[in-house]
Every structure is written in C-alpha cells, then in structure tokens.
Amino acid sequence: MSRILKLGIPKGSLQNATVELFRRSGWKIDINGRSYFPEINDEEIECSICRAQEMSRYVESGALDAGLTGKDWIAENHSDVHVVCDLVYSKVSARPARWVLAVPFDSPAKRLEDCKGMKIATELVQFTKDYFAERNIPVEVEFSWGATEAKVVSGLADAIVEVTETGSTIKAHGLRIIHELMQTNTRLIANHRAWADPKKREKIEQIALLLKGALLGEKLVGLKMNVPEQSLEAIVGLLPSLNAPTVSPLYQTNWFSVETVVQNGLVRELIPKLMKNGAEGIIEYALNKVI
C-alpha cells in the first residue's frame, strides 16, 4: 500500500473555505485553473478535488484515503466510512447547516404530516425518501439539479427539501420553513483500510488535530495587558481562560504583564471592565491555532 495519503478536497461552495482552513492549519493548497489535482506543500499528501456529494463514495471505495464532505452526503450515499472528526465551518457561518422542508407562504401545510401526497424537489433524494417513509407519509420525491427554490415558484413541485444556514434565500423566494430534517456539518472521513494503516492513520490524525486547532483559534483571541499590583486580583478575577492567566512581573516595577485567551465575543464587554479596574496597554491579537 502506498504511503502517500490521497486526500479529497470538496469542490464547489466549500472549496475556498477548505483551502483557507488548511492554510491556517499549515498546509498551502495551490489550485491551478481547471486542474483536479492541486499541489500541496506536503510530500506525504496528494490532493484531488471532487464534489462533496460524491466524496464519501470515493473514500469508501478506496479511490481516496480520506476527504472532507458533509454529514448529509454520507447519509445520502449510505457510505461505510470512518468519521475522523466533525469540522463546523462553511462559506457563511461557523454553525451547522440545516436541511429543511419549505412550502409556499400561502400553502395550507403547517407540519410534516400535511405534506401527504405532495411532490417534493430536492438534491438529497434518498435521504428525503427514507425520512418520509420512516414516518409513513407518502410523498413523491424528485431530484433537483439546482435552483430548487424556483421549482415551487414555477409550479414544478409542491415543496422543497433544501439546505440553508440562515434561511434568507428560502424566504426571499416566497417560501416558509415548516420542518427541519437534519443538521449537517463538514466531516473529515477516512477509508477503513487507510485508517487501519498506521502511517496513513498518523497523517490523518495530524490533519484532524491541526484543522480542529485552526477552527478553535478562529473563535478565540489573545489578550495581553499591564496591571498594577494593587489591581492584580481584581483583573485576574475578571479574566476567563483555558486554564489560568499567565502573570509575569515587569522588570523593576510593581506592575505585572497579564496574558490570557478568551472567546472572541466576550472582548467588547471585557475590555472596558479591565480598563475600569486598572489595566493598561491592552493588546488584542488573533490566534492562528489553539491545540
């Protein structure tokens, strides 16, 4: 078995976000023009680009050792792969996307059961068929090649099952969401044979570790400040941290340098409180990775 790891990069909406995530993790993926085999600055990895919808099938078959795709497409293809880790990132937001059932605003349907006998357009055909069948709700499910929201507007379908992050596109097309079928996020998956190979498994685990570290680093920032001795306890009491803040005495003074890591969203509330309690020279800095 070759020791080179064959890694699948998802083509389409997640491609740029994936390349950027790898960049922050330490790998530069260079996608040149129309090539399906981008270069990567790692002699132990060979990259291939393929659609996220097909990724799990290629990984299952062994054509790829590992790849990134959605939980939704693993379920759609009933793929037997090893899920290494979840990676919540997207082109819009750092939260899971949702597959939802949507109908026109003037539709009488209010819940899943009201869709009995309807024609539903979706790209997630098999999962949708299984979902309704498991609940004994007879519907007709047909494949949509794209512009799924327009199928209802043009009268080609009664409802749609579509993926959304904010729901704004669905609402803009005059539709309303009446049910959520599943939440999905990107997953790093591996072929079982590749996962059983110690060398390839080590490489896959390295990728997982650093990708997760880059995602965590995106949610956190570092804070550094100077604090007088009389304010030290009050300042430390205000600071959340992964373990405890780092406190170091400043040379030949009764001041201390205090450094910590906090959630990005807390900073705007935290900095004014730190200043009121005596902190000075506050520096906020981005974190590339947090392991």
Side-chain angles (χ1 to χ4, degrees), residues 23-252:
R23 185 195 66 77
R24 289 189 285 110
S25 302
W27 286 281
K28 181 182 178 183
I29 300 175
D30 188 10
I31 300 177
N32 295 315
R34 301 171 67 90
S35 173
Y36 286 93
F37 304 99
E39 297 179 0
I40 184 170
N41 61 338
D42 191 323
E43 294 180 352
E44 297 179 341
I45 301 176
E46 289 180 355
C47 288
S48 297
I49 293 180
C50 69
R51 298 174 73 240
Q53 294 90 328
E54 302 172 310
M55 186 75 73
S56 65
R57 291 194 285 107
Y58 289 132
V59 172
E60 181 180 20
S61 71
L64 295 170
D65 295 315
L68 292 95
T69 188
K71 172 187 173 183
D72 44 3
W73 299 115
I74 300 171
E76 173 72 1
N77 295 321
H78 297 290
S79 298
D80 181 18
V81 293
H82 179 79
V83 177
V84 181
C85 64
D86 287 345
L87 301 166
V88 183
Y89 71 100
S90 74
K91 63 178 182 177
V92 176
S93 62
R95 60 185 177 185
R98 302 176 294 143
W99 282 92
V100 298
L101 176 66
V103 297
F105 269 109
D106 58 358
S107 170
K110 305 293 185 184
R111 55 195 185 122
L112 194 70
E113 292 77 9
D114 297 335
C115 296
K116 180 178 179 180
M118 285 188 175
K119 180 186 288 187
I120 299 174
T122 184
E123 192 176 359
L124 202 70
V125 173
Q126 193 56 53
F127 177 85
T128 302
K129 286 181 178 180
D130 294 344
Y131 193 89
F132 279 91
E134 289 167 2
R135 291 155 180 80
N136 297 313
I137 303 172
V139 293
E140 179 184 349
V141 181
E142 63 178 22
F143 181 74
S144 172
W145 287 97
T148 306
E149 295 92 348
K151 299 293 193 302
V152 172
V153 177
S154 58
L156 298 176
D158 303 306
I160 65 169
V161 169
E162 181 66 323
V163 66
T164 184
E165 292 182 20
T166 65
S168 58
T169 301
I170 289 175
K171 185 176 181 180
H173 281 82
L175 307 177
R176 57 182 171 85
I177 296 170
I178 64 171
H179 186 79
E180 180 181 299
L181 284 74
M182 73 179 301
Q183 290 192 0
T184 183
N185 55 271
T186 305
R187 290 181 163 182
L188 176 62
I189 59 174
N191 173 273
H192 289 296
R193 292 187 300 278
W195 187 250
D197 180 278
K199 182 69 173 178
K200 289 189 174 181
R201 178 168 178 164
E202 182 180 12
K203 194 66 180 179
I204 295 168
E205 289 178 331
Q206 177 196 18
I207 293 170
L209 176 69
L210 295 178
L211 292 182
K212 289 191 292 183
L215 286 172
L216 182 56
E218 199 172 49
K219 300 175 184 177
L220 301 171
V221 296
L223 280 182
K224 191 171 185 178
M225 67 208 75
N226 294 331
V227 180
E229 183 176 11
Q230 66 270 21
S231 302
L232 185 59
E233 291 302 319
I235 292 295
V236 170
L238 288 172
L239 292 175
S241 63
L242 295 179
N243 291 304
T246 299
V247 179
S248 305
L250 296 181
Y251 182 64
Q252 292 185 344

